[in-house]
Amino acid sequence: MLQIEGLSSHYGRIQTLDGVDLSIGEGELVSLVGANGAGKTTLLRCVSGVQPVSAGRILFDGRDITRASSHRRVKLGIAQVPEGRQMFGPLSVEDNLRLGAFRRRGPKVADDLERMYTRFPILKEKRKQPAGTLSGGQQQMLAISRALMSHPRLLLLDEPSMGLAPLLVSEIFDTIRLLKDHGTTIFLVEQNAYAALGIATRGYVLETGRVVLADSGRALLENERVKTAYLGL
Amino acid sequence: MPPAFVELLQFLLSGVTSGAIYALVALGFALIYNASHVINFAQGEFVMLGGMVTWVLLSQGIDLPLAVLGAVGLTMLVGLLLEKLAIEPVRNANVVTLIIITIGAAIFLRGLTSVTLGKDLHALPAFSGNEPLDLMGATIMPQSLWILGTTALIVLLLHVFFNYTLLGKAILATSHNRLAARLMGINVNFVLLLSFGLSALLGAIAGILIAPITATHFEVGIMLGLKGFAAAILGGLGSGLGAIVGGLLLGIIESLGAGYISSDYKDAMAFVVILGVLFLMPSGLFGKRGTERV
Ligand SMILES: Nc1ncnc2c1ncn2[C@@H]1O[C@H](COP(=O)(O)OP(=O)(O)OP(=O)(O)O)[C@@H](O)[C@H]1O
Ligand SMILES: [Mg+2]
């Protein structure tokens, strides 16, 4: 479904991605792990079209979207839950959700809202409150729901467990597993390598802008290099 | 009524009249600032174009309502072109560069107007005559009622647009978090285009409404733009409510200053306000406190 070929990206003169090759098949949950500053966020931003690509290609359903605008990609079915949640803080919870469906109109949006509220009842309770007043965990639920409002075929998640209490982390991972079981293709970026590789079909390891390992999630969990560098074993 | 009260009422009435105009100009600044963090120094030229184009169309024998529509439409077109041709191509330049571009655009628009329409002062006819109305001993011109009524209507429409439509909320969302807005599929270039169009609309209407009172001229945009900017700063840059309150306050301050101190100082009030706000409360009355997010 998603193919990334030889992708490079720069911030000014600093190169942050260097010839990344990566692919994600329909229905897969692919995890990308890597240390701070490895370039994980940059890669996701390239896929969403909010970060300039300096070399390489991105194909979605076989179609070259390397130069497509970010809004076109949302329309094609790529949604992202960005690092740090990126709420529209002063806007209400419900407005945040409605904006997630910005590229889709019509009566179905109301049904989707109800679905999100069923999944996370706390969001319904707080639907009139400014999103910025929610707790970290609630904001993460909102960020995921907001992305789902666009009916994505490919969901990009950037460190959804960051800064959350352990109980919430497992709730977020349960949600991700559930989404996958319902057929959403997921690209998960995590520093929590153990959890991320545990639920992944396949995984990639990124180091200073390069893919250094690619294998099934299970195999990566067993890999010596991964064990020492990312699992602290 | 005691004469002192009538006098005060008179000053207040004339203050809110010009204040409403400043509020419209300030709202124009706020719209573009929110979409881009750019202070559009061509805002005053939208005001000038509104008045000048209406005058030209009237002088060609076109009826006032049509002339107004034509002037508003043309000014909006100028606003959209400014964004498309001068701002969007360098969208990723830093804010200072963009501000300088708007200053250049302002100079260009002024020059173009003086060359094509001349440098004379033109008065527009008042929309509903010049028969003053009596209000508790003070007088108010029908044109002032046009100004206050139209401004109130525009504020109401903007309120509905930003609070009850998805597009309005998308514009707010873009100003709060551009990255997230893009990830939601909001076309932020379109948001910027829209904000220039809306700002030009507000500016043109302000220029048309005030022209029967102060007359119009290719350079009226300089002072009106500056006063609108002062109003926007006073209210807090980027705040809609701030723009309205700031505009009305500036109008009242000016008019009281002119009435009780000396009319020589009327135009200086705007500068005093700008300096006062910058020194005493840089974020204005309703602006975001603390440091600017990056
Ligand atoms: N806006 C920016 N300007 C300049 N350099 C940046 C910018 N954002 C990131 N970088 C640099 O690019 C590199 C990759 O950053 P990126 O955010 O993609 O890493 P990451 O793997 O997501 O890290 P983290 O785990 O901390 O989120 C880092 O060296 C970082 O310093
Ligand atoms: Mg990151």
Side-chain angles (χ1 to χ4, degrees):
Chain A
M1 170 180 265
L2 183 78
Q3 258 159 299
I4 298 175
E5 301 173 357
L7 194 75
S8 298
S9 181
H10 293 72
Y11 284 105
R13 284 165 55 195
I14 304 162
Q15 180 159 22
T16 50
L17 293 178
D18 183 6
V20 171
D21 292 307
L22 187 150
S23 73
I24 298 171
E26 186 105 42
E28 273 194 312
L29 194 171
V30 172
S31 289
L32 177 73
V33 299
N36 272 324
K40 307 181 296 293
T41 297
T42 309
L43 182 61
L44 287 195
R45 291 170 56 112
C46 287
V47 175
S48 280
V50 294
Q51 163 78 26
V53 166
S54 35
R57 299 201 302 165
I58 302 171
L59 305 178
F60 188 64
D61 288 334
R63 187 185 336 206
D64 190 337
I65 57 161
T66 318
R67 307 263 163 253
S69 64
S70 48
H71 49 96
R72 168 130 188 79
R73 297 184 205 205
V74 174
K75 184 115 196 159
L76 288 174
I78 302 176
Q80 180 175 158
V81 179
E83 187 174 67
R85 308 183 268 272
Q86 312 294 340
M87 300 283 94
F88 301 121
L91 299 189
S92 72
V93 167
E94 185 149 315
D95 283 346
N96 271 266
L97 290 172
R98 285 186 189 284
L99 286 164
F102 187 74
R103 283 284 139 194
R104 278 181 336 109
R105 296 286 161 91
K108 291 240 176 62
V109 171
D111 298 345
D112 287 343
L113 273 179
E114 274 317 310
R115 242 194 311 281
M116 299 307 154
Y117 288 151
T118 316
R119 193 193 312 268
F120 299 120
I122 187 72
L123 295 183
K124 180 162 196 172
E125 217 172 280
K126 307 215 161 184
R127 67 186 188 279
K128 297 247 188 315
Q129 292 189 19
T133 64
L134 300 188
S135 72
Q138 292 162 357
Q139 288 194 6
Q140 193 62 62
M141 293 169 195
L142 178 54
I144 293 176
S145 306
R146 186 178 65 173
L148 291 174
M149 288 296 289
S150 70
H151 283 196
R153 294 177 47 228
L154 173 64
L155 181 64
L156 312 172
L157 292 153
D158 196 347
E159 306 211 26
S161 75
M162 187 168 58
L164 299 187
L167 204 66
L168 284 170
V169 172
S170 63
E171 187 174 344
I172 295 288
F173 274 99
D174 286 344
T175 306
I176 296 171
R177 200 175 296 119
L178 215 67
L179 289 172
K180 185 211 167 207
D181 292 343
H182 281 84
T184 310
T185 309
I186 296 174
F187 188 23
L188 171 65
V189 160
E190 262 297 337
Q191 287 209 31
N192 185 344
Y194 186 75
L197 294 174
I199 60 170
T201 4
R202 288 185 307 112
Y204 290 84
V205 178
L206 196 69
E207 277 176 14
T208 57
R210 286 192 195 139
V211 172
V212 291
L213 284 171
D215 211 329
S216 72
R218 188 176 307 258
L220 284 176
L221 278 176
E222 302 293 320
N223 184 294
E224 286 307 318
R225 186 163 168 189
V226 174
K227 272 186 180 168
T228 49
Y230 301 105
L231 301 176
L233 298 175
Chain B
M1 289 293 156
F5 171 80
V6 172
E7 190 182 54
L8 176 65
L9 184 62
Q10 190 66 60
F11 293 149
L12 289 178
L13 285 177
S14 93
V16 292
T17 301
S18 27
I21 296 292
Y22 303 156
L24 288 179
V25 183
L27 280 170
F29 275 109
L31 280 171
I32 291 179
Y33 179 79
N34 277 339
S36 61
H37 283 190
V38 168
I39 295 158
N40 170 33
F41 281 104
Q43 192 63 32
E45 308 318 314
F46 296 154
V47 180
M48 178 274 290
L49 283 175
M52 286 297 282
V53 175
T54 305
W55 163 74
V56 173
L57 295 179
L58 283 177
S59 72
Q60 301 302 310
I62 293 171
D63 289 343
L64 182 68
L66 266 184
V68 166
L69 269 182
V72 168
L74 190 84
T75 308
M76 282 181 78
L77 187 67
V78 169
L80 296 175
L81 285 175
L82 171 63
E83 195 279 337
K84 266 284 170 214
L85 302 180
I87 303 290
E88 204 176 301
V90 289
R91 181 64 196 85
N92 294 319
N94 65 44
V95 167
V96 177
T97 310
L98 295 175
I99 291 174
I100 290 171
I101 288 176
T102 69
I103 295 175
I107 295 170
F108 171 76
L109 288 172
R110 264 201 306 276
L112 191 70
T113 308
S114 74
V115 168
T116 53
L117 305 180
K119 299 187 175 182
D120 294 337
L121 195 66
H122 306 283
L124 296 191
F127 297 178
S128 306
N130 286 311
E131 200 61 47
L133 307 167
D134 181 85
L135 189 83
M136 291 188 281
T139 57
I140 184 164
M141 300 301 283
Q143 189 65 24
S144 293
L145 295 180
W146 271 103
I147 291 176
L148 294 174
T150 310
T151 304
L153 181 68
I154 286 176
V155 167
L156 183 73
L157 289 177
L158 285 177
H159 178 79
V160 169
F161 177 63
F162 281 111
N163 289 286
Y164 298 100
T165 72
L166 193 64
L167 185 58
K169 286 173 185 173
I171 295 177
L172 290 180
T174 305
S175 82
H176 295 308
N177 192 325
R178 214 176 119 81
L179 170 67
R182 296 182 71 192
L183 292 175
M184 295 310 116
I186 295 168
N187 180 348
V188 294
N189 279 335
F190 179 70
V191 166
L192 192 58
L193 185 67
L194 202 64
S195 69
F196 269 84
L198 272 177
S199 291
L201 172 84
L202 295 182
I205 290 177
I208 295 167
L209 287 170
I210 193 77
I213 296 180
T214 61
T216 188
H217 177 247
F218 79 105
E219 280 180 330
V220 290
I222 301 176
M223 203 42 107
L224 281 170
L226 185 100
K227 290 184 179 176
F229 179 60
I233 294 205
L234 176 59
L237 249 186
S239 159
L241 179 63
I244 296 159
V245 175
L248 293 175
L249 264 181
L250 178 64
I252 291 171
I253 292 171
E254 259 189 12
S255 144
L256 293 182
Y260 290 121
I261 306 171
S262 159
S263 56
D264 294 345
Y265 297 133
K266 181 166 179 284
D267 285 339
M269 290 299 169
F271 294 96
V272 173
V273 164
I274 291 180
L275 290 178
V277 171
L278 290 181
F279 279 120
L280 302 176
M281 43 169 197
S283 48
L285 295 171
F286 299 93
K288 295 187 204 89
R289 309 274 147 185
T291 51
E292 182 67 13
R293 70 202 142 79
V294 278

Coordinates of all heavy atoms in Angstrom, one line a residue, chain A residues 41 83 158-159, ligand 2:
Chain A
T41 N 10.2 11.0 13.2 CA 9.2 12.0 12.9 C 9.3 12.6 11.5 O 8.3 12.8 10.8 CB 9.3 13.1 14.0 OG1 9.0 12.5 15.3 CG2 8.3 14.2 13.8
E83 N 3.4 13.6 16.6 CA 4.1 13.7 17.9 C 3.6 14.9 18.7 O 3.4 16.0 18.2 CB 5.6 13.8 17.6 CG 6.5 13.7 18.7 CD 8.0 13.8 18.2 OE1 8.4 14.8 17.7 OE2 8.7 12.8 18.4
D158 N 2.7 8.7 15.7 CA 4.0 9.1 16.1 C 4.1 9.2 17.6 O 3.6 10.1 18.2 CB 4.4 10.5 15.5 CG 5.9 10.8 15.6 OD1 6.6 10.1 16.3 OD2 6.3 11.8 14.9
E159 N 4.7 8.2 18.2 CA 4.9 8.1 19.6 C 3.6 8.3 20.4 O 3.6 9.2 21.3 CB 6.0 9.0 20.1 CG 7.3 8.8 19.3 CD 8.6 9.0 20.1 OE1 8.5 8.9 21.3 OE2 9.6 9.3 19.4
Ligands
MG2 MG 10.0 12.1 16.8

